[in-house]
């Protein structure tokens, strides 16, 4: 898999086609958990967080064609972060007006309304965790179960290689080989998605003109 993919096939460009169900399904798989966790962090109950998440996904669907990375001076992730933050603020303020249960100076509103760099960095860190999980789910079936277990136990769970080899009844060298191969595939797939969500307007134009 090419780590610098042809932008004609990139996820963000493909999402301009509302009939590309595969692209939209992949977008939801990667980004919906990210958006939900960010919203829940700001003290929304599960049902409310689910409602705001659907608003975010709907806004992206309506606005993706008009998103201009050069004009916005940000990546797709930065654009998504602003949509998520703004719609969460809107929801909290609606609760204030409709139910009068949240004080005007409630920190749930003031914190997200003026998040600073910390909130944005947390969103980015959560995105990277979610992207890793997505890549793992996507690649797991591509490897023999014993090799995947060797990778997961030694790399993710931190089990010593010697113990993994004994548990799986394989040589230590096989653990190292499995770990190296899977990490290489994981890194390439993750980098591909990172490249696509950093897509520039120039790249979008190239994709549409090819």
């Amino acid at each position: 898999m090419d780590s610098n993919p042809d932008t004609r096939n990139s996820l963000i460009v493909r999402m301009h086609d509302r009939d590309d169900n595969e692209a939209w399904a992949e977008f939801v798989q990667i980004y919906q958990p990210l958006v939900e966790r960010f919203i829940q962090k700001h003290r929304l109950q599960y049902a409310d967080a689910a409602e705001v998440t659907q608003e975010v996904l709907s806004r992206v669907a309506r606005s993706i064609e008009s998103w201009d990375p050069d004009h916005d001076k940000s990546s797709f992730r930065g654009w998504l972060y602003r949509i998520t933050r703004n719609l969460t603020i809107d929801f909290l303020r609606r609760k204030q007006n409709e139910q009068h249960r949240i004080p005007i100076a409630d920190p749930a509103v003031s914190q997200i309304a003026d998040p600073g760099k910390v909130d944005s960095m947390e969103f980015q860190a959560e995105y990277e965790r979610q992207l890793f999980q997505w890549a793992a789910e996507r690649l797991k079936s591509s490897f023999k179960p014993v090799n995947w277990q060797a990778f997961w136990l030694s790399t993710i769970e931190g089990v010593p290689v010697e113990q993994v080899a004994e548990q799986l009844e394989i040589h230590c060298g096989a653990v190292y080989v499995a770990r190296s191969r899977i990490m290489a595939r994981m890194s390439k797939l993750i980098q591909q998605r990172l490249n696509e969500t950093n897509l520039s307007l120039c790249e979008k134009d190239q994709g549409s003109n090819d």
Side-chain angles (χ1 to χ4, degrees):
M1 188 178 296
D2 189 356
S3 61
N4 292 297
D6 186 333
T7 55
R8 289 173 299 181
N9 297 322
S10 76
L11 178 63
I12 307 305
V13 170
R14 288 171 56 205
M15 284 168 57
H16 285 68
D17 181 359
R18 295 178 183 273
D19 294 327
D20 192 334
N21 295 327
E22 183 180 351
W24 281 99
E26 189 170 309
F27 166 76
V28 170
Q29 184 182 12
I30 296 174
Y31 288 99
Q32 182 170 335
L34 165 67
V35 170
E36 285 179 343
R37 283 194 288 269
F38 175 84
I39 295 170
Q40 288 172 347
K41 187 188 73 171
H42 292 285
R43 304 198 307 178
L44 272 72
Q45 296 181 354
Y46 178 81
D48 292 338
E51 179 181 338
V52 178
T53 298
Q54 290 306 310
E55 290 182 14
V56 171
L57 298 180
S58 296
R59 178 69 61 84
V60 170
R62 293 196 304 270
S63 306
I64 185 65
E65 292 183 6
S66 61
W67 172 61
D68 183 342
D70 285 355
H71 179 268
D72 292 342
K73 303 298 183 184
S74 69
S75 66
F76 176 80
R77 296 188 302 279
W79 180 66
L80 177 64
Y81 164 72
R82 290 198 304 276
I83 290 176
T84 303
R85 180 173 63 88
N86 291 340
L87 289 179
T88 303
I89 292 171
D90 290 346
F91 182 87
L92 289 169
R93 286 176 173 163
R94 285 201 305 271
K95 286 289 187 180
Q96 285 182 343
N97 295 332
E98 294 172 2
Q99 301 178 4
H100 302 289
R101 293 178 182 174
I102 304 177
I104 296 300
D106 186 83
V109 176
S110 59
Q111 177 187 3
I112 193 172
D114 186 22
K117 290 185 178 180
V118 173
D119 215 35
S120 179
M121 290 172 63
E122 288 180 355
F123 189 84
Q124 172 66 18
E126 187 61 46
Y127 167 74
E128 292 173 357
R129 284 192 291 269
Q130 177 58 32
L131 193 58
F132 181 88
Q133 293 176 9
W134 167 81
E137 292 175 5
R138 191 177 181 90
L139 291 177
K140 184 177 181 179
S141 61
S142 301
F143 296 92
K144 294 180 179 179
V146 66
N147 290 336
W148 186 264
Q149 285 182 286
F151 155 73
W152 195 265
L153 289 170
S154 63
T155 305
I156 308 304
E157 298 187 9
V159 179
V161 169
E162 294 79 6
Q163 186 176 333
V164 172
E166 182 179 356
Q167 178 179 335
L168 299 178
E169 299 181 345
I170 59 178
H171 295 294
C172 290
V175 176
Y176 286 115
V177 170
R179 186 166 67 177
S180 176
R181 288 178 177 173
I182 293 174
M183 280 303 301
R185 289 279 301 279
M186 290 275 288
S187 297
K188 186 173 287 189
L189 183 58
I190 289 171
Q191 188 59 51
Q192 176 183 353
R193 281 295 170 261
L194 289 172
N195 288 344
E196 290 177 358
T197 54
N198 280 325
L199 194 64
S200 71
L201 183 60
C202 177
E203 288 173 321
K204 285 172 63 180
D205 289 342
Q206 288 176 355
S208 62
N209 292 332
D210 284 348

